[in-house]
Amino acid sequence: MIDIIGSLIGLLFLSPLFILVAIGLYFANDGKPFFFQVRPGKKGQLFKIIKFKTMTDRKDENGKLLDDSERLTKIGSIVRKTSLDEIPQLINVLKGEMSLIGPRPLLVAYLPLYSLVQNRRHELIPGITGWAQVNGRNAISWEQKFEYDVWYVDHVSFLLDIKIVFLTIKKIIIKEGINSNNSATTEAFK
């Protein structure tokens, strides 16, 4: 219930920003302001995540996508640094596929790579933000992210979620941990 009310309020409050970002990305990405990707949710159930598209589909002469840093648009960089690319996920929350708070839904390709302990992150509905995001986000190792995710699974509570909301706002304001130290985006989990 809190997720539904929170996402409705968020979409209503952020709708002017949502529209402006969508228009800007529409022009920057050849008419494609949104990015859709299949991700695993609770118990590994697959769903399509919705995000603002911050990178173009530019390819090299062999048809391979260029590096992330070469495809990241100027407006996309701003949208990513301010975490505005996450706003469309409020629609995933309304659909019951995501929660406001929980372990981030990662790539389907990572599913067979998780240890039994790391896979516990799928015991909960994934979130737009979570304990790993407020404790380093993309600037920490995959192992540390998974430790934080599993810790959250074991300690989930309303008060912890409130703390995560306030820490998320702080992280967005100071723009901390958005990119990994040596890449425009997060390094792949191996």
Side-chain angles (χ1 to χ4, degrees):
M1 187 68 136
I2 292 172
D3 281 338
I4 292 170
I5 293 169
S7 58
L8 283 172
I9 291 170
L11 282 170
L12 184 64
F13 178 71
L14 297 170
S15 61
L17 198 53
F18 187 101
I19 293 166
L20 284 174
V21 171
I23 292 169
L25 290 172
Y26 177 87
F27 289 108
N29 294 317
D30 301 321
K32 300 176 190 171
F34 299 103
F35 172 76
F36 300 91
Q37 188 175 55
V38 176
R39 300 277 179 102
K42 185 175 181 179
K43 297 180 181 175
Q45 183 73 35
L46 301 180
F47 71 98
K48 272 192 182 175
I49 197 169
I50 309 165
K51 295 180 78 169
F52 278 127
K53 187 177 173 100
T54 58
M55 293 187 281
T56 67
D57 294 324
R58 288 179 40 218
K59 297 177 181 173
D60 64 17
E61 60 277 353
N62 299 320
K64 184 181 174 199
L65 283 174
L66 296 173
D67 288 336
D68 290 352
S69 61
E70 295 177 74
R71 295 185 301 122
L72 188 62
T73 63
K74 288 181 182 176
I75 187 173
S77 179
I78 295 167
V79 168
R80 187 179 289 259
K81 284 179 183 172
T82 55
S83 297
L84 295 174
D85 57 325
E86 311 292 347
I87 294 173
Q89 291 170 61
L90 292 170
I91 296 166
N92 290 115
V93 175
L94 282 176
K95 293 169 68 178
E97 299 163 331
M98 290 181 69
S99 180
L100 295 173
I101 313 293
R104 287 288 300 152
L106 301 175
L107 299 176
V108 173
Y110 297 168
L111 285 171
L113 304 177
Y114 297 134
S115 70
L116 289 175
V117 172
Q118 292 169 340
N119 199 47
R120 292 196 56 224
R121 64 191 317 282
H122 296 107
E123 291 177 15
L124 298 176
I125 295 173
I128 294 175
T129 187
W131 192 238
Q133 282 64 49
V134 299
N135 283 291
R137 198 171 172 182
N138 294 329
I140 58 175
S141 70
W142 281 106
E143 290 73 22
Q144 188 64 60
K145 285 181 196 180
F146 297 141
E147 284 179 31
Y148 285 137
D149 287 342
V150 173
W151 184 89
Y152 177 79
V153 169
D154 291 335
H155 296 88
V156 65
S157 71
F158 180 72
L159 288 178
L160 179 57
D161 285 356
I162 296 297
K163 180 178 181 177
I164 291 170
V165 167
F166 284 108
L167 289 171
T168 298
I169 293 167
K170 177 184 170 197
K171 292 282 184 182
I172 291 170
I173 291 169
I174 61 174
K175 298 176 183 83
E176 184 178 73
I178 293 168
N179 293 328
S180 61
N181 294 331
N182 53 3
S183 175
T185 57
T186 306
E187 297 285 330
F189 174 56
K190 298 171 184 161

